[in-house]
Amino acid sequence: MAGSALNLIGLIAAAMIWYERQTAAATAAGLILMVAGCVVYGTGILRADGEAKGRAKKTFWSVNVWILPFIPLSMVYNILFGGLGTAPYPILTGPVSGFLGFVLFWIAYIGIGTAVELALHARRKA
């Protein structure tokens, strides 16, 4: 839970700081918190026993499959569609191409998250 909380705080902090200052440091601060969240998770997994380890993995990945890819996908979208590449969230840049790219971003984000969720669910059943 602590790792997931740090990841979510990192995402929110990056977005809030970026909104105020619009610097690459804002995104870097968020990513550093997200890395710390993953380190906390990894440390917990190393210390957990068998049953707790399985539950922790299931919980962590089912939540963080939505949190962790958001900033990298946003940065790719912003670079491809002419926005500020270091923004931690997608920035709508133009009326037509920007909107189409924005829609494609959300389709990709939801598609990747859903595909990973389904793969995790199928793996748990197997």
Side-chain angles (χ1 to χ4, degrees), residues 27-37:
T27 303
L31 289 172
I32 288 168
L33 284 170
M34 292 170 97
V35 167

Side-chain angles (χ1 to χ4, degrees), residues 70 73-74 77-78 81 89-112:
F70 190 80
L73 285 175
S74 296
Y77 161 80
N78 289 326
F81 290 94
Y89 51 83
I91 297 175
L92 189 57
T93 54
V96 177
S97 66
F99 181 74
L100 179 61
F102 195 71
V103 170
L104 290 174
F105 165 82
W106 285 106
I107 290 171
Y109 175 70
I110 292 169
I112 289 169

Side-chain angles (χ1 to χ4, degrees), residues 21-113:
R21 301 180 190 241
Q22 296 191 357
T23 64
T27 303
L31 289 172
I32 288 168
L33 284 170
M34 292 170 97
V35 167
C38 291
V39 168
V40 167
Y41 163 73
T43 303
I45 288 297
L46 289 175
R47 295 179 166 263
D49 63 357
E51 185 178 322
K53 186 181 289 193
R55 281 183 289 143
K57 284 181 180 181
K58 175 183 162 187
T59 303
F60 181 84
W61 289 113
S62 65
V63 171
N64 287 282
V65 69
W66 298 102
I67 298 171
L68 293 173
F70 190 80
I71 291 177
L73 285 175
S74 296
M75 292 173 74
V76 168
Y77 161 80
N78 289 326
I79 289 168
L80 290 176
F81 290 94
L84 297 169
T86 58
Y89 51 83
I91 297 175
L92 189 57
T93 54
V96 177
S97 66
F99 181 74
L100 179 61
F102 195 71
V103 170
L104 290 174
F105 165 82
W106 285 106
I107 290 171
Y109 175 70
I110 292 169
I112 289 169

